[in-house]
Amino acid sequence: MLFPKRKHLPLKTVYYISFLCFIVIPLLVVLLVSLLILNQQFKKQALENIRRAQDNVVTELKSDINVMSMRLFHMIYTNNNEIMEYAAGTDNPNVNIRYDFEQKLTQAGNLALEPVKDIISVVFYMKSGRETYFKSNIKRSAEEIKAAPWYQAALETPNSVCVGSCQTMQANDLYTGGRKDLLVLVFALSPDVTTDRSGTIEMVTFWQYCRAGDRIREYNQNYNKGLNRLGITIIVNEEGETVFATEEIDTRDGRYVCVESPVELVDSVWYVRTYIKSFELTGDFRRVSGMILATAVLILSLAAVYSGYFLRKIVKPIEEISGGLKQVEEGNLSVHVAPKGQSEIRGMIHQFNAMVRRLRVLIQEYEERVRSAEMTYEQFFQALIKREMTPEEAHARAGGFFADRYCLLGLWVDHYPAGESETVCLRLIKSFERNPRFASRCLAAIEKPAFIYIFYRITETDFTSNIVKMTEEMQREATKEFGVELSLCIGQETNGAAGFAAQSELVERYSCIRYLKGRHAVTDLNREFAFAEKVLQASGGYRGLADALYIADEKNLLQERERFFSLLNGGEREENFLQAYAAVLAIGMRFDADPCGFTEIFGDKYNYIEKIERLGDIRGIKLWLNNYFAWIMDYSAAKLNAVETDVIVKAKRYMADHYEEADLSLLQVAEYVGLNEKYFTNRFTKEAGENFSSYLTGLRLQKAKELLKTTSFKIYEIAGMAGYRNVEHFNRTFKKHIGITPAQFRKTM
């Protein structure tokens, strides 16, 4: 444990620790993770840009290679090898004959190659050693060309195109009119006797200017000028030898990152490589991260300013109030705290000082009573609750007990440890005395396990709102300190001893209304007496229904349910609501005798008044009650072990109450039961025997089947009631799982 004595740390220290743990550290962690993610994203984007640029180069290269390979074949084979015949005729010692064939070759070549402008030259290398040029003359010696790997590869594979390349290092160094740093592709084909019937030509070569070189040169120039982040691009062959490069670069330099894309040639593979310095890949990231860091520093600075203000205006004044409370706890009632800080804090300090003064007066009055009376008021009240004394006797012996107006409060304690109800109640009463209103106006006595009577002395006009406010404070403290829940019934205002017994019976009788109101229920008989009386009287007619559900008697349940629904069919809307409340109340009172309790059936307390009012009409009420009875029936029949399956029972209950919501999700249910989504999924599948989706679908289809059997709702209405927005989807799902459509199912009933 990081701070074993954290409960005893000063408030200022706790604030600093909380500020560091919940603001500074999370912000720094989020900042660090964000920067790491951004770094990867920017780097990935930079590499993606380089690959796209390489794809452009690769596309142009492949396009040129494919097109020119076909043009070479076309030129050779067109018109029954006409061009090859003319080219072979130029290998003649007779000048006139050679001239005639050169003219014919030029004419036929122009027809075959128009309108292609990127072809630099077509060269025919004769076996005799003579060379014939069409278009430009190539300024490379025959020995140099014949030694090239592509030339030798073409010789080894007659009638196949081999691809080579050449880069111009100077203007006009390859052909007249050529520029520096041009990428020239060479396409070579060595004809056999079927192609060159004269057997004169050794090699036919196409020399083509490739625009991919211009693109690479443009990329490299713009990179050197800082206009792009595409690095230095070159082309190499399979042996790693440079095919084309406009810039010198030391590829052994460890600062460079290499990105490579292959280019499939006819007989080999080239690689388009890009070299870029590692830090340039994340140049944009550094600029963005700088802005993010500046923003983070600004946020932390503002947080520091806020922290100083919070300490000065809130934390320090609260520490002074805490110090004053400690002095009061030690018995010093002369303490006074100087008001300071925020307006609400100053108001709190004024209230504290007023409370201390009031306590001083109350203690003086109490001590005076003790000195003058044989019993304290608290002892009188306990004796009244235990029937050891009548109200008249108490009035006679302590005339001031019933001097003021008063009301009785009934407080039920739920979720206490087994066998510790009285101990918990005693500790609760002790904790209640820390509440100023309770300490100044209330007396408490335990009437039975888990039920506390409170005598509230009325000194104001709107006393019920103050009682509710006091109870809410007590409920929060009880849940936080003891893990129990409190439900309250506020008795009617009365005075004198005569009405005491009747009011105590009234509070105990109508405390059962808590079953309808959910967690931390508050029932005010000053305002709700007529409603409580009607519901309680009507609940007597549903004891048979409650008994049938409790013992899982299906036969009697069906009879009682039909009788109940017949009452609903003939009643008005408000009367139907009342009957539904009464049925739930009867079930709650019957199951209250069960060791598991009424709450454990559903895994939580629900406000049935709000839930039933939301149903709207008789059809909604009957549908909901059908589900409600079915769930209780399943519980009574199966006797589920609530200790081991309480979370799953709560989840199923929640799904049964919300299955009609089309957007009900696994995450929503997991959050409701307070479990991690993944853990909840595994646990649900293990304990329920099927996964969440399958269970929800089965639940919805079961409800749909009941509606199809027992109602005349249209199919699309039933689809909506069963949680499906789309009736077509409902029909498909129903047929997939049931085997027939909803309409066919209804006809079979």
Side-chain angles (χ1 to χ4, degrees), residues 74 79 125 165 174 199 265 284 371 397 473 477 538 712:
H74 174 71
N79 294 333
Y125 294 93
S165 69
L174 180 64
L265 303 181
D284 292 334
R371 286 192 294 268
R397 295 176 59 179
E473 296 172 359
E477 290 299 319
S712 59

Side-chain angles (χ1 to χ4, degrees), residues 663-716:
D663 56 352
L664 180 64
S665 64
L666 171 66
L667 177 60
Q668 181 181 342
V669 179
E671 289 178 346
Y672 172 77
V673 299
L675 293 180
N676 171 271
E677 183 178 1
K678 183 177 180 182
Y679 175 76
F680 172 73
T681 301
N682 295 334
R683 183 167 176 181
F684 187 96
T685 302
K686 179 180 178 182
E687 296 186 20
E690 59 184 321
N691 62 35
F692 174 88
S693 178
S694 175
Y695 182 89
L696 180 57
T697 300
L699 177 62
R700 285 171 168 166
L701 292 181
Q702 182 61 35
K703 303 305 178 183
K705 287 168 61 179
E706 292 178 9
L707 290 171
L708 288 167
K709 288 189 295 184
T710 60
T711 72
S712 59
F713 295 149
K714 293 181 174 56
I715 300 297
Y716 72 86

Side-chain angles (χ1 to χ4, degrees), residues 25 179 215 565 677:
I25 292 178
R179 293 181 283 108
R215 189 180 292 275
F565 284 165
E677 183 178 1

Side-chain angles (χ1 to χ4, degrees), residues 75-145:
M75 188 190 76
I76 291 174
Y77 290 102
T78 188
N79 294 333
N80 196 21
N81 305 110
E82 177 186 37
I83 292 178
M84 295 295 289
E85 182 181 344
Y86 294 154
T90 62
D91 186 18
N92 194 302
N94 188 304
V95 175
N96 293 328
I97 295 174
R98 186 167 63 247
Y99 177 78
D100 289 339
F101 276 104
E102 286 176 350
Q103 292 300 313
K104 292 178 180 180
L105 177 63
T106 300
Q107 184 178 6
N110 286 333
L111 291 174
L113 298 180
E114 285 296 336
V116 180
K117 298 180 180 180
D118 291 339
I119 295 178
I120 297 169
S121 179
V122 180
V123 185
F124 298 89
Y125 294 93
M126 310 301 178
K127 293 179 180 179
S128 63
R130 182 175 279 115
E131 304 161 8
T132 298
Y133 294 91
F134 171 65
K135 288 199 154 187
S136 303
N137 290 344
I138 300 300
K139 298 179 181 181
R140 293 285 189 274
S141 66
E143 292 77 11
E144 181 182 353
I145 291 174

Side-chain angles (χ1 to χ4, degrees), residues 293-303:
L293 288 173
T295 304
V297 170
L298 176 62
I299 292 174
L300 287 174
S301 300
L302 293 175

Side-chain angles (χ1 to χ4, degrees), residues 47-58 215 219 230 233 272 274:
L47 292 175
E48 186 64 28
N49 292 338
I50 292 173
R51 289 192 177 93
R52 281 199 294 267
Q54 288 184 344
D55 288 343
N56 293 334
V57 174
V58 171
R215 189 180 292 275
Y219 287 161
L230 300 179
T233 302
V272 179
T274 299

Side-chain angles (χ1 to χ4, degrees), residues 439-653:
S440 61
R441 291 173 175 79
C442 297
L443 302 172
I446 301 172
E447 196 270 342
K448 65 173 80 170
F451 185 67
I452 302 173
Y453 271 112
I454 297 175
F455 183 91
Y456 183 90
R457 196 177 305 278
I458 300 174
T459 61
E460 65 272 32
T461 303
D462 186 16
F463 66 93
T464 56
S465 61
N466 290 330
I467 291 175
V468 171
K469 186 183 299 185
M470 176 188 74
T471 304
E472 289 173 350
E473 296 172 359
M474 292 160 54
Q475 286 171 335
R476 286 193 295 269
E477 290 299 319
T479 303
K480 179 180 178 181
E481 189 170 349
F482 302 100
V484 299
E485 293 183 3
L486 305 180
S487 299
L488 178 70
C489 180
I490 304 175
Q492 295 176 331
E493 177 183 357
T494 187
N495 54 31
F500 183 88
Q503 282 301 310
S504 64
E505 293 176 2
L506 204 65
V507 167
E508 184 173 1
R509 170 180 169 81
Y510 291 109
S511 291
C512 61
I513 301 299
R514 70 185 187 277
Y515 295 123
L516 298 175
K517 293 195 170 187
R519 304 181 67 180
H520 303 304
V522 175
T523 303
D524 183 4
L525 296 181
N526 295 276
R527 300 170 182 172
E528 303 176 73
F529 179 77
F531 168 78
E533 177 65 20
K534 288 180 181 179
V535 174
L536 190 58
Q537 285 185 358
S539 68
Y542 298 117
R543 289 174 184 168
L545 175 65
D547 289 338
L549 286 170
Y550 186 78
I551 63 174
D553 185 346
E554 188 169 352
K555 177 182 177 181
N556 288 330
L557 174 63
L558 290 174
Q559 295 174 350
E560 292 291 334
R561 186 173 63 180
E562 289 300 322
R563 184 179 67 85
F564 175 48
F565 284 165
S566 67
L567 290 175
L568 293 183
N569 289 331
E572 297 295 332
R573 184 172 184 271
E574 295 300 325
E575 180 63 24
N576 289 336
F577 284 163
L578 181 67
Q579 297 302 323
Y581 302 150
V584 174
L585 180 59
I587 295 169
M589 290 190 292
R590 181 64 182 86
F591 274 82
D592 194 45
D594 192 289
C596 293
F598 184 54
T599 302
E600 300 302 325
I601 300 176
F602 306 102
D604 201 354
K605 292 182 178 180
Y606 296 94
N607 190 323
Y608 291 104
I609 295 177
E610 293 181 358
K611 184 179 289 291
I612 292 172
E613 285 181 351
R614 287 200 302 267
L615 297 175
D617 56 16
I618 183 63
R619 291 185 299 178
I621 294 175
K622 291 176 71 173
L623 178 60
W624 180 81
L625 286 172
N626 257 324
N627 296 335
Y628 187 71
F629 296 157
W631 187 272
I632 298 176
M633 191 71 173
D634 290 343
Y635 170 83
S636 298
K639 298 298 182 185
L640 294 174
N641 187 338
V643 174
E644 296 180 356
T645 62
D646 56 345
V647 171
I648 304 305
V649 170
K650 285 178 66 177
K652 289 181 177 180
R653 180 69 258 152

